[in-house]
């Protein structure tokens, strides 16, 4: 559930610098969640390691599905 909450916050266009404070977690914890989300995206979309994932990429992919998260 927490990973989904972080994904939702990213998709809702929260600024990366403010995400940790918004979620009441440390920056290190946010980085761990971000790494887990990016890893799952790489598998789900069969992305190669050379594709650079960013918060913006995650927003574009998941924003249309916020109501499902």
């Amino acid at each position: 559930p927490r990973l989904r909450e972080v994904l939702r916050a990213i998709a809702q266009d929260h600024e990366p610098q403010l995400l940790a404070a918004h979620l009441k977690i440390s920056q290190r914890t946010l980085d761990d969640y971000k790494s887990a989300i990016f890893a799952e995206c790489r598998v789900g979309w069969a992305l190669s390691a050379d594709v650079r994932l960013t918060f913006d990429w995650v927003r574009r992919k998941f924003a249309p599905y916020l109501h499902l998260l």
Side-chain angles (χ1 to χ4, degrees):
R2 190 65 164 159
L3 188 63
R4 186 176 295 169
E5 185 179 348
V6 173
L7 176 59
R8 185 181 303 116
I10 293 170
Q12 288 175 329
D13 204 22
H14 289 287
E15 291 295 320
Q17 298 84 356
L18 303 177
L19 269 174
H22 172 77
L23 295 167
K24 297 181 177 119
I25 58 177
S26 72
Q27 187 63 47
R28 173 70 184 165
T29 301
L30 176 61
D31 289 342
D32 291 342
Y33 281 121
K34 180 185 76 168
S35 294
I37 290 167
F38 285 4
E40 289 192 30
C41 287
R42 285 194 185 285
V43 172
W45 275 277
L47 301 172
S48 64
D50 63 325
V51 174
R52 185 169 179 262
L53 297 181
T54 63
F55 281 119
D56 186 54
W57 186 92
V58 172
R59 282 184 196 111
R60 285 184 280 126
K61 290 293 185 180
F62 287 95
Y65 307 102
L66 275 176
H67 65 284
L68 300 174
L69 295 176

